[in-house]
Amino acid sequence: MPTIKQLAANEAKEKRFRGGHSLCSGCGIPIVVRTVLNSIETPVVVVNATGCLEVATTRFPNTAWNVPWLHVAFENAAAAASGVESAYRALVKRGKLPADEPVTFVVFGGDGGTYDIGLQSLSGALERGHQFLYVCYDNEAYMNTGIQRSSATPFGASTTTSPEGKISFGKAQQRKDLTAIAEAHHVNYVGQSAISHWHDLSDKVKRAVEVDGPAFINVLSTCQLGWRHEPREAVKVAQLAVDTLFWPLYEVVKGRFRLTHIPEEIVPIETWLRMQGRFKHLFKEENAGALEVIQQQIFDEWERLKERDRNDRAHFAPLQKDQTFTTEFEMV
């Protein structure tokens, strides 16, 4: 397992993602980016879709990036990464770049640029089998442009385009299961993590960059502005998303599924919802039935995931007793 000291050593060695950005206080995105980049040992090239991360880290004449970095539009980050990765392989084949010094290609995109606008190019890149890691920082709405709902926005959440009020309940649809969609492309690695579990995320990144072909990790990243919680409680809110089973942590390696974290105590979903202003209307008397529906859906999904875990667990090396994750991955 990577320790805090080891990650700090990687950070100090190169400082791939520096301070000085203008991301909000309490934003989960810097945790995602630093954990991902500090968990990769090889040189890194980053492709960044338009979004909070891009806008807040590259305001001319400053930048927080200390790696080769390419900004592209919302819709084509995965396509651009495909081109960069293909060009790299061609140069290695021609002897223009050393074959014994591999480069890791990482794509960062928010839920707007991944679940919605960029899904087509992501799907194409996954299907073609390009060698890169795509990381979605999922804060469950278009936060950069005014907190509009996305297909990652949970059922019942109030946003500027799905507001709660006299004629609107909040978002009326269930959120899209993008992690499952990525898995359906038959890639060798898919994972789901959260900013509250940096060790779990780091561990998954290490495994993801070692597989052949593309890998995808979906990371729950809090947004104090859109979720309407106290900035200082960002990690706590993410932790509760995991402990309530709203956001299960798992991975799918070569088609085999396992849960990478099982909460010691399952917390009622109401606890997580109450911490966020975007759900406050759900606690009105007339909306009491919605809470029951949300809780039942979460329990049903958890039972389904546990069944998958039971069926596939034998294909993995045992987890260490004091951990819910492992540094070394092995399939039987």
Side-chain angles (χ1 to χ4, degrees):
M1 179 191 75
T3 65
I4 293 178
K5 289 184 178 180
Q6 287 171 336
L7 291 181
N10 285 347
E11 171 78 358
K13 179 174 62 177
E14 192 174 357
K15 284 197 176 295
R16 292 173 167 177
F17 186 73
R18 295 173 169 173
H21 56 74
S22 56
L23 289 160
C24 299
S25 174
C27 176
I29 298 173
I31 299 175
V32 176
V33 176
R34 284 202 171 96
T35 302
V36 170
L37 296 185
N38 293 344
S39 300
I40 300 172
E41 296 296 332
T42 63
V44 174
V45 172
V46 172
V47 179
N48 194 177
T50 297
C52 291
L53 176 60
E54 169 266 324
V55 169
T57 58
T58 57
R59 290 184 173 177
F60 183 81
N62 302 311
T63 180
W65 298 96
N66 194 32
V67 294
W69 178 87
L70 174 65
H71 164 232
V72 290
F74 266 119
E75 65 269 20
N76 63 338
S82 299
V84 174
E85 184 265 348
S86 296
Y88 168 76
R89 285 190 290 108
L91 290 172
V92 170
K93 186 176 181 179
R94 295 172 187 174
K96 301 295 185 181
L97 290 174
D100 58 346
E101 297 179 8
V103 175
T104 299
F105 300 92
V106 180
V107 186
F108 288 107
D111 52 284
T114 308
Y115 280 69
D116 295 341
I117 306 173
L119 182 59
Q120 181 176 355
S121 65
L122 173 60
S123 178
L126 294 179
E127 187 273 334
R128 291 190 301 271
H130 293 279
Q131 188 76 38
F132 66 78
L133 168 61
Y134 193 109
V135 179
C136 175
Y137 59 91
D138 183 357
N139 53 29
E140 302 188 328
Y142 289 87
M143 301 305 184
N144 178 53
T145 55
I147 317 175
Q148 298 92 347
R149 56 90 83 195
S150 76
S151 62
T153 304
F155 169 74
S158 179
T159 71
T160 54
T161 51
S162 62
E164 65 88 13
K166 293 181 179 179
I167 61 174
S168 176
F169 172 77
K171 191 188 175 195
Q173 299 81 20
Q174 297 295 327
R175 68 179 181 88
K176 183 188 294 181
D177 190 347
L178 182 62
T179 314
I181 292 172
E183 181 191 350
H185 288 76
H186 308 295
V187 297
N188 283 331
Y189 191 90
V190 171
Q192 189 161 283
S193 193
I195 63 164
S196 51
H197 292 66
W198 64 266
H199 43 73
D200 178 88
L201 175 57
S202 178
D203 208 36
K204 286 171 178 168
V205 169
K206 287 179 177 293
R207 286 196 287 275
V209 299
E210 291 174 356
V211 302
D212 291 331
F216 176 83
I217 301 178
N218 201 3
V219 188
L220 186 68
S221 178
T222 55
C223 175
Q224 54 91 1
L225 184 64
W227 294 18
R228 287 182 273 164
H229 63 73
E230 289 293 329
R232 66 178 180 274
E233 295 183 332
V235 173
K236 181 180 179 181
V237 173
Q239 174 76 54
L240 279 172
V242 176
D243 289 344
T244 58
L245 309 179
F246 171 82
W247 192 262
L249 306 187
Y250 64 84
E251 63 185 357
V252 185
V253 187
K254 298 180 180 178
R256 301 295 185 179
F257 176 95
R258 73 168 167 183
L259 294 167
T260 58
H261 176 78
I262 299 177
E264 294 183 3
E265 179 182 356
I266 296 175
V267 179
I269 190 60
E270 179 179 326
T271 305
W272 183 67
L273 298 174
R274 282 191 182 278
M275 292 190 69
Q276 304 166 69
R278 61 178 177 159
F279 294 117
K280 67 178 182 180
H281 58 287
L282 296 182
F283 295 94
K284 295 179 180 178
E285 184 176 350
E286 61 268 27
N287 293 329
L291 295 175
E292 297 178 5
V293 170
I294 293 170
Q295 184 67 83
Q296 190 58 53
Q297 289 173 339
I298 287 172
F299 284 158
D300 290 346
E301 175 65 7
W302 181 245
E303 288 302 316
R304 186 184 71 84
L305 295 180
K306 285 199 301 181
E307 181 63 22
R308 289 193 68 186
D309 181 81
R310 283 191 292 267
N311 291 337
D312 286 1
R313 176 64 63 174
H315 296 275
F316 291 88
L319 295 177
Q320 299 178 32
K321 291 182 179 180
D322 60 342
Q323 297 175 334
T324 54
F325 52 91
T326 59
T327 301
E328 299 299 327
F329 168 74
E330 178 183 354
M331 291 193 71
V332 178

